[in-house]
Amino acid sequence: GASAAGAYEIERSLRFNSGDTAYLNRTPSGAGNLKTWTVSFWAKISGLGVQNFPFSTGADSNNRVQFAIEDDYTLNFECKDSGSTQVHLVSNRLFRDPSAWYHFVVSVDTTQGTASNRVKIYVNGVQETSFSTETYPSEDADLQWNKAAAHYIGKRSYSSHYMDGYITEFHAVDGTALTHTSFGETNEDTGQWIPKGYGGSHGTNGFYLNFS
């Protein structure tokens, strides 16, 4: 939860144990906005040295959206359509602290004129800008997220790779590209990045899970 100085407190998280092959999934009845969307969540990675998939969608390796902490501890966000790579961002920074809660925000708006503005990733209130692999989508590209297809939390969509850790405060926002400040803030007393309540719309295919 937040510190005593914070006004917002997370009460619960959901534990994913990869050995249980547990995950959540939802299939929207129709497509939402494929160009503009945001995913925000807090995660604690317990399984180190293995692939962890907090969220994903897509029928196979050639058609997918997936966010992963890889077995080499890098963050890997990848989107493909018909085998063509639309997005591929692999961080230089490593995420290997099993005691830490990380706040991840993936903000997508492919209508932007500047390529690097079409996908932004924020971690604990800071935009990730150092990547060993850095591919951005073409302008106005449609990505797989928000399609009328199965969307997963805690699993790679097309294979038996699962999450080992905890997830809470999962927001999927359809139709709006938001920044980290919509979901978190800096605690003035401690300087820590802490959660705050999101008061905006989640859009047509969006949703919010607090696991209370």
Side-chain angles (χ1 to χ4, degrees):
S3 73
Y8 185 78
E9 185 173 352
I10 297 174
E11 294 185 356
R12 286 174 175 78
S13 61
L14 188 65
R15 187 182 70 159
F16 293 84
N17 179 18
S18 61
D20 295 333
T21 64
Y23 61 91
L24 305 178
N25 70 294
R26 173 179 181 267
T27 301
S29 58
N33 194 320
L34 307 181
K35 295 178 172 63
T36 308
W37 47 271
T38 306
V39 172
S40 168
F41 63 96
W42 290 75
K44 186 176 181 181
I45 309 299
S46 300
L48 298 180
V50 296
Q51 290 179 305
N52 283 276
F53 291 89
F55 73 88
S56 68
T57 188
D60 52 50
S61 61
N62 290 318
N63 299 275
R64 65 184 178 183
V65 169
Q66 65 181 40
F67 183 97
I69 303 299
E70 296 288 356
D71 50 9
D72 62 358
Y73 310 111
T74 58
L75 181 158
N76 183 0
F77 180 57
E78 190 171 8
C79 306
K80 285 189 173 185
D81 183 70
S82 300
S84 176
T85 297
Q86 298 172 295
V87 181
H88 196 189
L89 299 174
V90 180
S91 69
N92 282 311
R93 188 151 69 105
L94 305 181
F95 299 85
R96 53 186 177 187
D97 184 355
S99 67
W101 278 97
Y102 296 104
H103 178 219
F104 296 105
V105 178
V106 179
S107 180
V108 173
D109 184 0
T110 67
T111 68
Q112 293 293 316
T114 302
S116 60
N117 288 335
R118 295 171 196 156
V119 178
K120 296 180 181 180
I121 298 175
Y122 303 90
V123 182
N124 291 345
V126 178
Q127 185 177 350
E128 203 71 20
T129 58
S130 178
F131 300 102
S132 61
T133 300
E134 192 170 9
T135 302
Y136 293 98
S138 59
E139 190 169 356
D140 293 320
D142 288 339
L143 306 183
Q144 301 279 325
W145 192 259
N146 283 326
K147 280 192 171 183
H151 290 55
Y152 295 86
I153 298 175
K155 179 187 182 297
R156 179 190 261 176
S157 60
Y158 62 90
S159 68
S160 298
H161 289 78
Y162 299 90
M163 176 80 182
D164 230 345
Y166 301 78
I167 292 177
T168 192
E169 286 291 289
F170 195 105
H171 293 271
V173 179
D174 179 2
T176 311
L178 300 169
T179 68
H180 56 298
T181 58
S182 293
F183 310 97
E185 60 189 350
T186 301
N187 186 307
E188 294 180 358
D189 296 333
T190 65
Q192 290 180 311
W193 185 252
I194 61 173
K196 73 176 184 180
Y198 170 66
S201 169
H202 287 84
T204 302
N205 283 341
F207 56 89
Y208 166 52
L209 300 172
N210 65 1
F211 308 115
S212 62

